[in-house]
């Protein structure tokens, strides 16, 4: 990577943690999930992950997400598996930089997705405009914000959290799916919208798309970028805050979420040499 990109700056991060202890903690069911359509080797059969009487994996989150196997957790947690031109982007800083993060680059990233369409509210003419503003306001990389939204809501924007039509939560939005996980009587979308419907911090209630995007960016910056979780990898695997923090305060349960977002993030930079 150094030879291929001599202009890039690489900085080592020393966790001070024991690998096996970290994997033990991350392997507790159901801290990491894979979709039930994944290969069986990716899925855990530990206690609480598999129903041997029924012969089926136990679903832990809406949409068919089941517990990840120890082996696939080890794979995704080992940075050496991702030192290539695409997946290295999960180790890129999430701070805002107006010299390298441009509207043009952002438009390249979202091309062909719902974020390239006209913005549905009058505040801004495009999603790129509101995301650039949200990034500058929160001191967060707008390319990262866009890639997060695409992972959470799909390239077509079909995620229920941004439809504005969920019964009991009409007119509320949660673009980043903050706190969107199944809890008690609520499914993941409903619980996330319950947070969006609340009041107080981060300009809630998020009763507009603009409030959700700008407020969600602030939430992310304050809770992750400023908490030694300023890369895609570190927001998924909290390994820079001591062993007691491991497997806590993780942005997502999807074991491969950081790698997936890295592929999206690369798109924003592929036509630019400014890194």
């Amino acid at each position: 990577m150094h030879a291929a990109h001599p202009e890039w700056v690489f900085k080592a991060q020393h966790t001070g943690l024991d690998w096996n202890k970290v994997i033990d903690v991350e392997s507790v069911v159901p801290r990491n999930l894979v979709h039930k359509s994944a290969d069986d080797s990716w899925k855990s059969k530990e206690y609480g992950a598999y129903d041997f009487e029924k012969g089926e994996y136990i679903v832990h989150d809406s949409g068919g997400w089941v517990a990840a196997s120890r082996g696939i957790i080890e794979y995704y947690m080992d940075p050496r598996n991702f030192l290539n031109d695409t997946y290295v982007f999960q180790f890129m800083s999430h701070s805002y930089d107006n010299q390298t993060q441009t509207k043009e680059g952002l438009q390249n990233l979202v091309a062909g997705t719902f974020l390239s369409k006209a913005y549905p509210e009058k505040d801004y003419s495009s999603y790129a405009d509101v995301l650039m503003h949200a990034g500058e306001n929160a001191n967060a990389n707008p390319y990262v914000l866009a890639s997060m939204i695409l992972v959470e809501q799909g390239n077509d924007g079909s995620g229920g959290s941004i439809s504005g039509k969920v019964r009991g939560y009409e007119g509320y939005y949660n673009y980043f799916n903050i706190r969107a996980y199944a809890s008690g009587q609520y499914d993941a979308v409903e619980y996330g919208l319950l947070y969006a419907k609340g009041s107080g911090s981060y300009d809630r209630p998020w009763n507009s798309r603009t409030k959700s995007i700008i407020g969600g960016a602030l939430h992310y910056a304050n809770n992750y970028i400023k908490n030694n979780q300023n890369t895609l990898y570190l927001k998924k695997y909290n390994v820079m805050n001591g062993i007691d923090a491991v497997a806590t305060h993780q942005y997502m349960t999807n074991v491969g979420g950081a790698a997936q977002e890295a592929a999206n993030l690369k798109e924003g930079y592929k036509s630019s040499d400014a890194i």
Side-chain angles (χ1 to χ4, degrees), residues 138-211:
N139 194 29
N141 186 333
Y143 296 6
V144 172
L145 299 180
S147 70
M148 290 165 61
I149 289 174
L150 293 177
V151 168
E152 296 295 338
Q153 307 304 334
N155 285 349
D156 60 357
S158 60
S161 299
I162 61 172
S163 70
K165 299 177 181 179
V166 176
R167 185 175 180 181
Y169 304 92
E170 292 86 353
Y172 292 94
Y173 306 89
N174 191 341
Y175 269 77
F176 297 98
N177 270 347
I178 294 168
R179 298 191 187 178
Y181 49 83
S183 180
Q185 67 190 51
Y186 303 99
D187 65 24
V189 169
E190 291 171 338
Y191 202 57
L193 290 174
L194 183 66
Y195 179 77
K197 195 174 182 179
S199 60
S201 58
Y202 307 113
D203 205 24
R204 289 183 297 146
W206 292 336
N207 53 5
S208 74
R209 298 175 187 274
T210 298
K211 283 185 177 182

Side-chain angles (χ1 to χ4, degrees), residues 59-97:
V59 173
H60 290 281
D61 206 348
S62 306
W65 291 83
V66 302
S69 69
R70 184 183 181 94
I72 200 63
I73 294 170
E74 289 181 316
Y75 176 80
Y76 276 107
M77 287 204 72
D78 190 339
R80 295 172 299 180
N81 292 322
F82 301 97
L83 297 181
N84 57 52
D85 279 357
T86 296
Y87 295 112
V88 72
F89 280 83
Q90 68 180 295
F91 309 114
M92 184 177 180
S93 171
H94 285 189
S95 297
Y96 179 72
D97 178 3

Side-chain angles (χ1 to χ4, degrees), residues 106-121:
L106 182 56
Q107 289 171 325
N108 289 335
L109 187 152
V110 303
T113 74
F114 83 98
L115 293 179
S116 66
K117 298 179 180 179
Y119 191 59
E121 293 179 353

